[in-house]
Amino acid sequence: VRPSRITLQRAVAGAATVVALLSVLHTGGHVWRRIGDDYRNYSGYTDEQRRHAVLDVIPLPADIFDFYKAYTERGDRIYFQVMPSGFGSWADLPTAVATAGRWYLLPAVQTTNLDDATVVISYHADPAQLPVHYLTQVRAGLQPIVVSRIRPPA
Amino acid sequence: LTARILAMLGANVLMLGVGVGLLPALRMAASRRELLTKAPLGYAVGLSVTGIVAATLALVGVTVGWIVLPLMAIASLAYGVRAVGRAAAPAWRWNVRDLAPLAVLAVAGVYLGAMARSFAVLPIWGSDGWAIWGTRAKALYDLGTANAAPFTDPIYPALQHPLWVPAMEAVDARFMGRYDVALIDLQLLGLAIAFVGGAWVLLREHAPPFLLASTLLAIITTTTFYNQLQTNFADVPVAMFVALGVASLAAWLRTPAPGLLPAAALFLGAGALTKNEGEMFALVAYLTAAAVAGRDRLRPLALAALASFAIDLPWRIWIKVNDIRIAEYSISNLLDPHYLADHSDRVGPSARELVYQLTRLGAFSYVVIFVLVGIAGALVLRRFRLALFAAGWLVLSFGGLLGIYWISTNPLRGHLFNSSDRTIISLVIGGALLVPVLLRVEREPEPVEL
């Protein structure tokens, strides 16, 4: 290969390298500060705060989902009974609760078929309105927040 | 917390073992010394293979955890050590010019280390990160199989997304004893480390080392790379696999050195098993490579494509058997002129939005400009075959993304708002990693060009 050809190759590679390093200079500092900010903001979180982070962002009350979780288990198929209501730009309230429940209440899974459900989770709704007989029912204080068991987990 | 980090680290050491042992089979190492010196590439191979195996076994209800992963590592290492035998390694040649790229890589290492510290405390909270990817990973960990409602019942979202990310996170969760919402995304950072180390080892003989190291640093210091990787979405993982795959393919088109085509087959296969777009990016890469490779190289290229397809095949069969449909679009509509004409009003806004996302300096810094400089440089150097491959892959992949927005049934504004900044990541990272290969400095006469 002629020396002039090698020089041209090096010049082109050098130009590209300059652009790559300019790119690093352009955002490297910002990304570095962002990494540090994230560490400072979240390093003080407790395990519980981290578990609740998703619910806090939605936002849905984490204590209610902890209540639901305490009464559901592996093998449960959950029917979500949620008060019809708007919620935000991305979803209505039933969608938001079901989406959060699918994540938070695993290994229990969701079903939309009441006949197939082992448990009904009621969120600001009255489980007595559903045409089904319950084995047990647990209510969160005086709130219309109820876990109603139809049958044992599968 | 420390115990769980150590458990995840242990899992990753075993994955490293899986990959290092497989290097001789992939023609990436020929001696015991190379098994050690190419360990970073082994880590990338190990993550790919472990994820592929775990995702595939999940389809039949077999879990990869404390028993299967150590067995895989032992079997792989035993094979690898035996395969290389006592072959003599090429003499180690130290050159003072290696210092500069290694210094740049050290800076990349500092960034990745800082990200690890941050990822270890950051809970996943981005919407799809938990609602789709996190739920699927947690379900694989909790239920041990893909044959369960979260993967088959249409009330669960995005059933069409393949399982590489969930399967890997489920492996880690089994080692940690729980699905830890703060630590789990460290696995994706592990993939980023494997990407940097693997690309360096794989491509340093096929690219100017300083340019290669600078490229890798430029990629990981873009705002999008850090912001998106921490969300637990699969867009950056698929981009890293696709980038390793297309860069290997480009290097093979230039010089058919051992290991490059197997690397392309493995990483493009892993990309296909990470996110649906990965299948499209891989298909486009093989088609573009076939167009420029020359007739005598079509057979090995076809074999590599078949290998990538074989990685994806069990998932595709499982999807078919379980009648999983893509809720948002039907690929057959791409071939329906009436449907395309009826929805042609989606093309312009989609193209404009994708181009806008590509040109946002706040997202990708100057990396897109870097890609354009690289392709222009290849043309100046009269490397038309490589330039055509790079430009062809980028343009056709862009067209593929555009096609998906065209046929999607989602309302366009929301669809673009929610995804356009993520779907183009593979084009940026893939395009960037092609540049050092395009601009290799040749001391020997250059291979015959088109």
Side-chain angles (χ1 to χ4, degrees):
Chain A
V1 179
R2 293 195 307 273
S4 61
R5 174 89 183 149
I6 293 178
T7 306
L8 179 63
Q9 293 179 60
R10 283 188 177 151
V12 171
T17 306
V18 168
V19 178
L21 293 176
L22 282 174
S23 182
V24 174
L25 285 176
H26 183 66
T27 49
H30 169 73
V31 169
W32 183 259
R33 284 188 294 278
R34 173 76 199 274
I35 294 170
D37 288 346
D38 280 344
Y39 178 75
R40 278 185 292 280
N41 289 339
Y42 291 100
S43 56
Y45 269 38
T46 63
D47 260 11
E48 187 178 75
Q49 284 175 306
R50 292 193 178 106
R51 269 204 322 276
H52 288 167
V54 162
L55 299 167
D56 295 341
V57 167
I58 293 176
L60 285 168
D63 55 338
I64 290 177
F65 278 82
D66 280 338
F67 168 77
Y68 291 148
K69 191 157 181 70
Y71 294 101
T72 52
E73 54 190 292
R74 178 184 299 276
D76 267 331
R77 290 185 299 273
I78 301 170
Y79 181 87
F80 288 99
Q81 183 202 18
V82 183
M83 175 180 71
S85 168
F87 184 73
S89 60
W90 63 280
D92 55 18
L93 183 62
T95 305
V97 170
T99 305
R102 284 195 295 263
W103 154 259
Y104 203 75
L105 303 178
L106 271 166
V109 299
Q110 184 191 2
T111 179
T112 49
N113 180 1
L114 189 58
D115 294 338
D116 188 42
T118 62
V119 69
V120 172
I121 275 182
S122 303
Y123 186 90
H124 294 289
D126 180 3
Q129 291 182 345
L130 296 176
V132 62
H133 171 72
Y134 301 116
L135 296 178
T136 59
Q137 237 171 13
V138 196
R139 191 180 180 101
L142 296 176
Q143 302 178 86
I145 304 292
V146 189
V147 179
S148 309
R149 180 155 297 284
I150 300 172
R151 61 180 71 91
Chain B
L1 190 70
T2 310
R4 289 196 294 275
I5 290 176
L6 288 175
M8 188 188 247
L9 201 60
N12 276 263
V13 169
L14 291 170
M15 294 173 200
L16 168 68
V18 170
V20 167
L22 286 175
L23 289 178
L26 297 168
R27 300 171 66 204
M28 295 172 183
S31 68
R32 289 187 182 181
R33 183 191 287 170
E34 280 192 336
L35 290 183
L36 286 177
T37 57
K38 295 193 172 181
L41 179 57
Y43 185 41
V45 169
L47 293 189
S48 309
V49 170
T50 304
I52 291 166
V53 170
T56 306
L57 289 181
L59 304 179
V60 290
V62 176
T63 58
V64 174
W66 280 100
I67 297 172
V68 174
L69 186 57
L71 288 177
M72 283 171 63
I74 291 167
S76 176
L77 281 172
Y79 161 79
V81 171
R82 192 183 161 88
V84 294
R86 298 197 174 278
W92 176 267
R93 286 180 301 170
W94 171 253
N95 191 324
V96 73
R97 279 185 295 189
D98 292 338
L99 276 178
L102 289 177
V104 174
L105 284 179
V107 175
V110 170
Y111 267 93
L112 291 169
M115 287 183 199
R117 186 166 167 257
S118 166
F119 276 40
V121 298
L122 259 167
I124 54 175
W125 55 269
S127 55
D128 286 4
W130 59 269
I132 295 177
W133 299 102
T135 297
R136 288 163 82 75
K138 209 171 164 193
L140 269 188
Y141 166 63
D142 280 330
L143 307 172
T145 177
N147 298 299
F151 304 95
T152 56
D153 191 326
I155 54 176
Y156 281 80
L159 298 181
Q160 75 276 11
H161 283 326
L163 295 178
W164 191 92
V165 167
M168 283 296 277
E169 293 187 348
V171 171
D172 291 318
R174 287 178 200 118
F175 273 77
M176 290 191 287
R178 74 183 220 197
Y179 186 89
D180 190 310
V181 293
L183 298 182
I184 205 72
D185 51 358
L186 278 173
Q187 185 56 66
L188 301 187
L189 189 78
L191 181 60
I193 293 167
F195 167 70
V196 171
W200 170 252
V201 172
L202 187 63
L203 302 174
R204 67 182 164 187
E205 289 171 9
H206 306 281
F210 190 62
L211 173 57
L212 176 59
S214 303
T215 303
L216 292 167
L217 181 60
I219 290 171
I220 68 163
T221 53
T222 58
T223 314
T224 288
F225 186 88
Y226 173 69
N227 286 353
Q228 292 286 343
L229 194 61
Q230 63 167 266
T231 59
N232 202 43
F233 294 3
D235 301 276
V236 174
V238 73
M240 290 190 284
F241 279 135
V242 167
L244 286 170
V246 292
S248 304
L249 210 47
W252 176 79
L253 285 170
R254 184 130 187 91
T255 320
L260 290 173
L261 204 51
L266 175 65
F267 293 129
L268 289 175
L273 208 52
T274 301
K275 201 159 183 260
N276 293 86
E277 298 97 285
E279 293 174 329
M280 185 265 288
F281 294 134
L283 179 65
V284 167
Y286 282 120
L287 290 177
T288 319
V292 303
R295 186 175 290 183
D296 58 327
R297 299 171 83 183
L298 287 181
R299 190 168 176 273
L301 191 63
L303 289 175
L306 276 177
S308 296
F309 178 65
I311 289 170
D312 197 35
L313 186 60
W315 168 249
R316 280 284 140 206
I317 292 173
W318 186 86
I319 284 270
K320 191 77 182 166
V321 167
N322 287 279
D323 197 25
I324 306 292
R325 293 169 193 274
I326 301 177
E328 294 88 3
Y329 58 86
S330 170
I331 288 287
S332 61
N333 283 337
L334 270 179
L335 305 174
D336 181 345
H338 295 297
Y339 185 91
L340 294 177
D342 285 347
H343 296 81
S344 58
D345 57 327
R346 296 173 67 95
V347 178
S350 300
R352 277 193 295 277
E353 179 66 20
L354 291 176
V355 169
Y356 166 72
Q357 293 296 342
L358 281 169
T359 51
R360 278 177 55 218
L361 288 183
F364 295 113
S365 194
Y366 301 140
V367 172
V368 175
I369 297 170
F370 171 72
V371 175
L372 297 176
V373 167
I375 293 173
L379 290 172
V380 167
L381 296 173
R382 304 179 64 78
R383 292 172 183 169
F384 300 121
R385 186 199 305 259
L386 281 186
L388 199 59
F389 172 72
W393 179 73
L394 286 165
V395 169
L396 291 176
S397 297
F398 183 90
L401 292 178
L402 198 58
I404 293 171
Y405 286 105
W406 191 348
I407 62 173
S408 171
T409 55
N410 284 329
L412 186 59
R413 180 189 289 258
H415 195 190
L416 287 169
F417 179 79
N418 288 325
S419 64
S420 60
D421 60 333
R422 296 186 278 117
T423 50
I424 38 95
I425 296 173
S426 289
L427 301 187
V428 179
I429 296 182
L433 200 57
L434 280 170
V435 172
V437 179
L438 296 182
L439 303 184
R440 173 179 176 168
V441 176
E442 300 279 1
R443 292 174 181 284
E444 304 298 323
E446 298 209 15
V448 176
E449 277 290 357
L450 289 175

